[in-house]
mmCIF file of all heavy atoms in Angstrom:
data_model
loop_
_atom_site.group_PDB
_atom_site.id
_atom_site.type_symbol
_atom_site.label_atom_id
_atom_site.label_comp_id
_atom_site.label_asym_id
_atom_site.label_seq_id
_atom_site.Cartn_x
_atom_site.Cartn_y
_atom_site.Cartn_z
ATOM 1 N N ALA A 1 -9.694 7.324 -3.004
ATOM 2 C CA ALA A 1 -8.298 7.039 -3.345
ATOM 3 C C ALA A 1 -8.130 6.842 -4.842
ATOM 4 O O ALA A 1 -7.440 5.936 -5.295
ATOM 5 C CB ALA A 1 -7.819 5.815 -2.575
ATOM 6 N N THR A 2 -8.757 7.690 -5.658
ATOM 7 C CA THR A 2 -8.665 7.543 -7.109
ATOM 8 C C THR A 2 -7.241 7.757 -7.605
ATOM 9 O O THR A 2 -6.876 7.266 -8.672
ATOM 10 C CB THR A 2 -9.599 8.541 -7.808
ATOM 11 O OG1 THR A 2 -9.285 9.866 -7.336
ATOM 12 C CG2 THR A 2 -11.056 8.243 -7.490
ATOM 13 N N TYR A 3 -6.418 8.481 -6.851
ATOM 14 C CA TYR A 3 -5.040 8.722 -7.263
ATOM 15 C C TYR A 3 -4.205 7.447 -7.207
ATOM 16 O O TYR A 3 -3.070 7.413 -7.673
ATOM 17 C CB TYR A 3 -4.398 9.806 -6.390
ATOM 18 C CG TYR A 3 -4.352 9.479 -4.911
ATOM 19 C CD1 TYR A 3 -3.219 8.916 -4.329
ATOM 20 C CD2 TYR A 3 -5.449 9.726 -4.091
ATOM 21 C CE1 TYR A 3 -3.172 8.611 -2.984
ATOM 22 C CE2 TYR A 3 -5.416 9.430 -2.738
ATOM 23 C CZ TYR A 3 -4.279 8.866 -2.194
ATOM 24 O OH TYR A 3 -4.248 8.568 -0.854
ATOM 25 N N LEU A 4 -4.788 6.373 -6.638
ATOM 26 C CA LEU A 4 -4.096 5.083 -6.606
ATOM 27 C C LEU A 4 -4.513 4.171 -7.756
ATOM 28 O O LEU A 4 -3.988 3.067 -7.889
ATOM 29 C CB LEU A 4 -4.367 4.370 -5.276
ATOM 30 C CG LEU A 4 -3.986 5.110 -3.987
ATOM 31 C CD1 LEU A 4 -4.284 4.235 -2.776
ATOM 32 C CD2 LEU A 4 -2.519 5.513 -4.003
ATOM 33 N N ASP A 5 -5.450 4.654 -8.589
ATOM 34 C CA ASP A 5 -5.991 3.778 -9.630
ATOM 35 C C ASP A 5 -4.952 3.371 -10.672
ATOM 36 O O ASP A 5 -5.096 2.349 -11.335
ATOM 37 C CB ASP A 5 -7.172 4.468 -10.335
ATOM 38 C CG ASP A 5 -8.400 4.558 -9.430
ATOM 39 O OD1 ASP A 5 -8.396 3.896 -8.370
ATOM 40 O OD2 ASP A 5 -9.335 5.306 -9.772
ATOM 41 N N GLY A 6 -3.905 4.172 -10.837
ATOM 42 C CA GLY A 6 -2.889 3.851 -11.827
ATOM 43 C C GLY A 6 -1.881 2.810 -11.363
ATOM 44 O O GLY A 6 -1.007 2.405 -12.134
ATOM 45 N N LEU A 7 -1.994 2.371 -10.108
ATOM 46 C CA LEU A 7 -1.056 1.380 -9.570
ATOM 47 C C LEU A 7 -1.549 -0.034 -9.858
ATOM 48 O O LEU A 7 -2.757 -0.286 -9.894
ATOM 49 C CB LEU A 7 -0.905 1.567 -8.062
ATOM 50 C CG LEU A 7 -0.439 2.950 -7.577
ATOM 51 C CD1 LEU A 7 -0.450 3.001 -6.053
ATOM 52 C CD2 LEU A 7 0.947 3.268 -8.112
ATOM 53 N N ASN A 8 -0.632 -0.972 -10.030
ATOM 54 C CA ASN A 8 -1.052 -2.361 -10.179
ATOM 55 C C ASN A 8 -1.365 -2.930 -8.785
ATOM 56 O O ASN A 8 -1.067 -2.299 -7.768
ATOM 57 C CB ASN A 8 0.001 -3.186 -10.945
ATOM 58 C CG ASN A 8 1.318 -3.339 -10.197
ATOM 59 O OD1 ASN A 8 1.332 -3.565 -8.980
ATOM 60 N ND2 ASN A 8 2.431 -3.252 -10.923
ATOM 61 N N PRO A 9 -1.981 -4.107 -8.695
ATOM 62 C CA PRO A 9 -2.424 -4.615 -7.387
ATOM 63 C C PRO A 9 -1.307 -4.738 -6.353
ATOM 64 O O PRO A 9 -1.512 -4.414 -5.175
ATOM 65 C CB PRO A 9 -3.019 -5.987 -7.728
ATOM 66 C CG PRO A 9 -3.474 -5.852 -9.145
ATOM 67 C CD PRO A 9 -2.473 -4.949 -9.802
ATOM 68 N N GLU A 10 -0.124 -5.186 -6.770
ATOM 69 C CA GLU A 10 0.972 -5.330 -5.813
ATOM 70 C C GLU A 10 1.474 -3.963 -5.338
ATOM 71 O O GLU A 10 1.770 -3.781 -4.149
ATOM 72 C CB GLU A 10 2.124 -6.119 -6.448
ATOM 73 C CG GLU A 10 1.825 -7.583 -6.728
ATOM 74 C CD GLU A 10 0.922 -7.778 -7.934
ATOM 75 O OE1 GLU A 10 0.875 -6.880 -8.801
ATOM 76 O OE2 GLU A 10 0.253 -8.831 -8.008
ATOM 77 N N GLN A 11 1.600 -3.021 -6.259
ATOM 78 C CA GLN A 11 2.007 -1.673 -5.870
ATOM 79 C C GLN A 11 1.010 -1.072 -4.891
ATOM 80 O O GLN A 11 1.383 -0.466 -3.882
ATOM 81 C CB GLN A 11 2.132 -0.779 -7.110
ATOM 82 C CG GLN A 11 3.286 -1.131 -8.027
ATOM 83 C CD GLN A 11 3.260 -0.328 -9.314
ATOM 84 O OE1 GLN A 11 2.192 0.086 -9.775
ATOM 85 N NE2 GLN A 11 4.426 -0.109 -9.904
ATOM 86 N N ARG A 12 -0.264 -1.239 -5.173
ATOM 87 C CA ARG A 12 -1.300 -0.671 -4.304
ATOM 88 C C ARG A 12 -1.265 -1.329 -2.924
ATOM 89 O O ARG A 12 -1.471 -0.672 -1.897
ATOM 90 C CB ARG A 12 -2.676 -0.835 -4.948
ATOM 91 C CG ARG A 12 -3.783 -0.156 -4.172
ATOM 92 C CD ARG A 12 -4.975 0.169 -5.024
ATOM 93 N NE ARG A 12 -5.978 0.879 -4.248
ATOM 94 C CZ ARG A 12 -6.961 1.580 -4.782
ATOM 95 N NH1 ARG A 12 -7.064 1.685 -6.101
ATOM 96 N NH2 ARG A 12 -7.856 2.190 -4.022
ATOM 97 N N CYS A 13 -1.011 -2.621 -2.908
ATOM 98 C CA CYS A 13 -0.898 -3.333 -1.627
ATOM 99 C C CYS A 13 0.225 -2.734 -0.783
ATOM 100 O O CYS A 13 0.073 -2.517 0.427
ATOM 101 C CB CYS A 13 -0.648 -4.810 -1.891
ATOM 102 S SG CYS A 13 -0.527 -5.829 -0.408
ATOM 103 N N ALA A 14 1.362 -2.443 -1.422
ATOM 104 C CA ALA A 14 2.489 -1.844 -0.701
ATOM 105 C C ALA A 14 2.148 -0.442 -0.220
ATOM 106 O O ALA A 14 2.514 -0.045 0.895
ATOM 107 C CB ALA A 14 3.720 -1.811 -1.607
ATOM 108 N N VAL A 15 1.453 0.323 -1.040
ATOM 109 C CA VAL A 15 1.102 1.707 -0.698
ATOM 110 C C VAL A 15 0.136 1.749 0.478
ATOM 111 O O VAL A 15 0.263 2.585 1.387
ATOM 112 C CB VAL A 15 0.501 2.415 -1.933
ATOM 113 C CG1 VAL A 15 -0.164 3.733 -1.536
ATOM 114 C CG2 VAL A 15 1.583 2.665 -2.979
ATOM 115 N N GLU A 16 -0.824 0.851 0.515
ATOM 116 C CA GLU A 16 -1.893 0.923 1.514
ATOM 117 C C GLU A 16 -1.570 0.177 2.801
ATOM 118 O O GLU A 16 -2.307 0.288 3.787
ATOM 119 C CB GLU A 16 -3.192 0.362 0.911
ATOM 120 C CG GLU A 16 -3.729 1.211 -0.236
ATOM 121 C CD GLU A 16 -5.022 0.664 -0.822
ATOM 122 O OE1 GLU A 16 -5.167 -0.585 -0.887
ATOM 123 O OE2 GLU A 16 -5.874 1.462 -1.212
ATOM 124 N N HIS A 17 -0.475 -0.564 2.833
ATOM 125 C CA HIS A 17 -0.141 -1.383 4.006
ATOM 126 C C HIS A 17 -0.122 -0.552 5.293
ATOM 127 O O HIS A 17 0.633 0.413 5.423
ATOM 128 C CB HIS A 17 1.225 -2.038 3.814
ATOM 129 C CG HIS A 17 1.783 -2.642 5.066
ATOM 130 N ND1 HIS A 17 1.377 -3.876 5.543
ATOM 131 C CD2 HIS A 17 2.705 -2.179 5.959
ATOM 132 C CE1 HIS A 17 2.031 -4.146 6.658
ATOM 133 N NE2 HIS A 17 2.843 -3.133 6.936
ATOM 134 N N GLY A 18 -0.946 -0.946 6.248
ATOM 135 C CA GLY A 18 -0.924 -0.364 7.587
ATOM 136 C C GLY A 18 -1.386 1.064 7.702
ATOM 137 O O GLY A 18 -1.388 1.626 8.810
ATOM 138 N N VAL A 19 -1.761 1.705 6.596
ATOM 139 C CA VAL A 19 -2.191 3.108 6.660
ATOM 140 C C VAL A 19 -3.511 3.196 7.418
ATOM 141 O O VAL A 19 -4.461 2.461 7.137
ATOM 142 C CB VAL A 19 -2.335 3.705 5.245
ATOM 143 C CG1 VAL A 19 -2.895 5.127 5.318
ATOM 144 C CG2 VAL A 19 -0.992 3.698 4.535
ATOM 145 N N GLY A 20 -3.561 4.089 8.392
ATOM 146 C CA GLY A 20 -4.767 4.250 9.208
ATOM 147 C C GLY A 20 -4.758 3.421 10.469
ATOM 148 O O GLY A 20 -5.570 3.644 11.366
ATOM 149 N N GLN A 21 -3.832 2.463 10.593
ATOM 150 C CA GLN A 21 -3.736 1.673 11.819
ATOM 151 C C GLN A 21 -2.986 2.459 12.890
ATOM 152 O O GLN A 21 -2.149 3.312 12.587
ATOM 153 C CB GLN A 21 -3.009 0.351 11.550
ATOM 154 C CG GLN A 21 -3.718 -0.564 10.561
ATOM 155 C CD GLN A 21 -2.968 -1.865 10.350
ATOM 156 O OE1 GLN A 21 -2.117 -2.244 11.147
ATOM 157 N NE2 GLN A 21 -3.288 -2.560 9.266
ATOM 158 N N SER A 22 -3.290 2.177 14.135
ATOM 159 C CA SER A 22 -2.618 2.883 15.231
ATOM 160 C C SER A 22 -1.125 2.572 15.256
ATOM 161 O O SER A 22 -0.305 3.403 15.623
ATOM 162 C CB SER A 22 -3.258 2.503 16.568
ATOM 163 O OG SER A 22 -3.217 1.094 16.751
ATOM 164 N N SER A 23 -0.769 1.360 14.862
ATOM 165 C CA SER A 23 0.638 0.991 14.767
ATOM 166 C C SER A 23 0.845 0.260 13.454
ATOM 167 O O SER A 23 0.240 -0.797 13.217
ATOM 168 C CB SER A 23 1.052 0.085 15.929
ATOM 169 O OG SER A 23 2.397 -0.317 15.794
ATOM 170 N N CYS A 24 1.677 0.820 12.599
ATOM 171 C CA CYS A 24 1.887 0.254 11.263
ATOM 172 C C CYS A 24 2.967 -0.816 11.327
ATOM 173 O O CYS A 24 4.120 -0.524 11.652
ATOM 174 C CB CYS A 24 2.288 1.367 10.300
ATOM 175 S SG CYS A 24 2.554 0.800 8.614
ATOM 176 N N PRO A 25 2.652 -2.087 11.015
ATOM 177 C CA PRO A 25 3.653 -3.156 11.080
ATOM 178 C C PRO A 25 4.772 -2.926 10.064
ATOM 179 O O PRO A 25 4.573 -2.238 9.058
ATOM 180 C CB PRO A 25 2.845 -4.417 10.740
ATOM 181 C CG PRO A 25 1.412 -4.039 10.884
ATOM 182 C CD PRO A 25 1.335 -2.582 10.591
ATOM 183 N N PRO A 26 5.953 -3.513 10.307
ATOM 184 C CA PRO A 26 7.063 -3.343 9.358
ATOM 185 C C PRO A 26 6.736 -3.955 8.007
ATOM 186 O O PRO A 26 6.029 -4.960 7.905
ATOM 187 C CB PRO A 26 8.231 -4.060 10.039
ATOM 188 C CG PRO A 26 7.608 -5.007 11.013
ATOM 189 C CD PRO A 26 6.336 -4.356 11.464
ATOM 190 N N LEU A 27 7.288 -3.330 6.954
ATOM 191 C CA LEU A 27 6.991 -3.745 5.583
ATOM 192 C C LEU A 27 8.285 -3.822 4.782
ATOM 193 O O LEU A 27 9.112 -2.910 4.825
ATOM 194 C CB LEU A 27 6.045 -2.736 4.925
ATOM 195 C CG LEU A 27 5.788 -2.902 3.412
ATOM 196 C CD1 LEU A 27 5.021 -4.197 3.133
ATOM 197 C CD2 LEU A 27 5.017 -1.694 2.857
ATOM 198 N N LEU A 28 8.460 -4.916 4.051
ATOM 199 C CA LEU A 28 9.558 -5.067 3.108
ATOM 200 C C LEU A 28 8.969 -5.164 1.706
ATOM 201 O O LEU A 28 8.168 -6.051 1.421
ATOM 202 C CB LEU A 28 10.361 -6.338 3.415
ATOM 203 C CG LEU A 28 11.380 -6.786 2.358
ATOM 204 C CD1 LEU A 28 12.451 -5.729 2.132
ATOM 205 C CD2 LEU A 28 12.016 -8.126 2.749
ATOM 206 N N VAL A 29 9.351 -4.225 0.837
ATOM 207 C CA VAL A 29 8.904 -4.240 -0.554
ATOM 208 C C VAL A 29 10.067 -4.716 -1.413
ATOM 209 O O VAL A 29 11.094 -4.033 -1.523
ATOM 210 C CB VAL A 29 8.437 -2.843 -1.012
ATOM 211 C CG1 VAL A 29 7.959 -2.904 -2.469
ATOM 212 C CG2 VAL A 29 7.326 -2.325 -0.115
ATOM 213 N N ILE A 30 9.941 -5.913 -1.984
ATOM 214 C CA ILE A 30 10.939 -6.433 -2.908
ATOM 215 C C ILE A 30 10.561 -5.929 -4.293
ATOM 216 O O ILE A 30 9.586 -6.380 -4.892
ATOM 217 C CB ILE A 30 10.981 -7.972 -2.883
ATOM 218 C CG1 ILE A 30 11.367 -8.472 -1.489
ATOM 219 C CG2 ILE A 30 11.960 -8.492 -3.931
ATOM 220 C CD1 ILE A 30 12.757 -8.068 -1.054
#
């Protein structure tokens, strides 16, 4: 996932949330 290296930690957290899980929980990005 080197294409994510330019993101800050919070941005990356939002990007990776639930990816790969069978059911992705709801996400609110403020």
Side-chain angles (χ1 to χ4, degrees):
T2 55
Y3 60 96
L4 303 182
D5 289 348
L7 303 175
N8 66 42
E10 292 75 23
Q11 291 173 332
R12 185 157 183 162
C13 181
V15 167
E16 294 181 324
H17 167 80
V19 175
Q21 297 181 18
S22 57
S23 177
C24 181
L27 171 67
L28 169 61
V29 181
I30 298 296

